[in-house]
Amino acid sequence: IYAEAGESTLISLKTESGKSKNVLISDVQIHPLTMSPIHVSFFEVDMKQEITATVPVEIINEDDHPKVKSNEGIIITIISEIEVTCLPNDLPHTFEVDALQLKEVGDVLTVKQAIKIDPKKIKIDLDPEEVVLKLDFAEQIEAPAEEDVAGVAGVEVISEEESKARDEAAAAAGETAGTENKEPEKKE
């Protein structure tokens, strides 16, 4: 039921007494190993009182968009869900946004353009000019053909003997440098 209804579709729940109640699913706990639901919380709604709920934005025709098919562009969803206030019977299941409304790379769809509602029934608490969907440039990163050696430029290669000699010289310099600043020991 949750997969179909989500958290924004009113469902009728029969109680043990046989009475039906209009509810929204408010929370689902999933078993971490079996991924099956182990607990569901419901929120009973008063059909005559407005409620506030989050409605998911569903992008349609994304894969059919000519710019996406030609790898010139990608569809970026800026807003994935919208909070609305309305009577329970007016609560939309999803807001479908058609990606084919975007024509050129750089085009955007705002809340006002993308979300079609009856403002007398449903209130959206978002700026109507806020961007919901964008057609952006598709950046393709090519794997380098050869190993990148720019990071090792300027690295000096020395032999093992030379490395030992440098280590010994550094150790000797450290011993003399360490004794220069030492105070003489006092004998009692």
Side-chain angles (χ1 to χ4, degrees):
I1 293 175
Y2 181 71
E4 291 177 25
E7 294 180 11
S8 62
T9 300
L10 202 59
I11 58 175
S12 181
L13 180 69
K14 280 192 176 184
T15 62
E16 290 177 352
S17 65
K19 195 174 182 183
S20 289
K21 296 186 178 215
N22 292 316
V23 298
L24 292 172
I25 297 173
S26 63
D27 186 42
V28 177
Q29 292 179 0
I30 305 293
H31 190 279
L33 296 176
T34 63
M35 300 308 289
S36 55
I38 55 175
H39 177 78
V40 179
S41 296
F42 296 99
F43 173 71
E44 184 177 3
V45 295
D46 179 351
M47 299 303 288
K48 295 177 183 141
Q49 187 176 8
E50 285 189 335
I51 59 170
T52 300
T54 302
V55 178
V57 174
E58 182 182 333
I59 310 306
I60 59 171
N61 296 321
E62 182 175 0
D63 294 332
D64 296 332
H65 196 287
K67 298 287 185 190
V68 172
K69 281 183 172 181
S70 67
N71 293 324
E72 292 177 57
I74 57 171
I75 305 291
I76 299 175
T77 304
I78 308 296
I79 298 175
S80 60
E81 54 187 26
I82 297 175
E83 192 169 279
V84 300
T85 303
C86 61
L87 290 173
N89 278 335
D90 298 327
L91 186 63
H93 177 63
T94 62
F95 288 120
E96 283 189 355
V97 178
D98 190 352
L100 293 176
Q101 294 180 65
L102 300 167
K103 302 298 179 202
E104 297 298 324
V105 172
D107 285 356
V108 296
L109 285 176
T110 63
V111 171
K112 179 174 60 176
Q113 296 167 322
I115 308 300
K116 306 299 180 206
I117 59 165
D118 181 350
K120 294 176 187 168
K121 293 181 177 183
I122 302 173
K123 295 176 206 132
I124 294 177
D125 190 29
L126 280 177
D127 179 358
E129 297 303 317
E130 196 161 338
V131 175
V132 175
L133 201 63
K134 179 179 183 178
L135 179 59
D136 208 353
F137 290 100
E139 293 182 30
Q140 294 188 357
I141 301 171
E142 294 183 24
E146 296 179 21
E147 185 178 334
D148 184 13
V149 292
V152 294
V155 173
E156 183 182 3
V157 178
I158 59 173
S159 68
E160 192 173 326
E161 291 84 25
E162 191 174 348
S163 175
K164 284 182 185 178
R166 287 185 184 183
D167 290 344
E168 289 172 3
E175 288 174 12
T176 57
T179 57
E180 291 172 1
N181 295 332
K182 280 188 178 178
E183 293 183 24
E185 288 183 23
K186 294 183 182 178
K187 292 185 182 179
E188 292 181 23

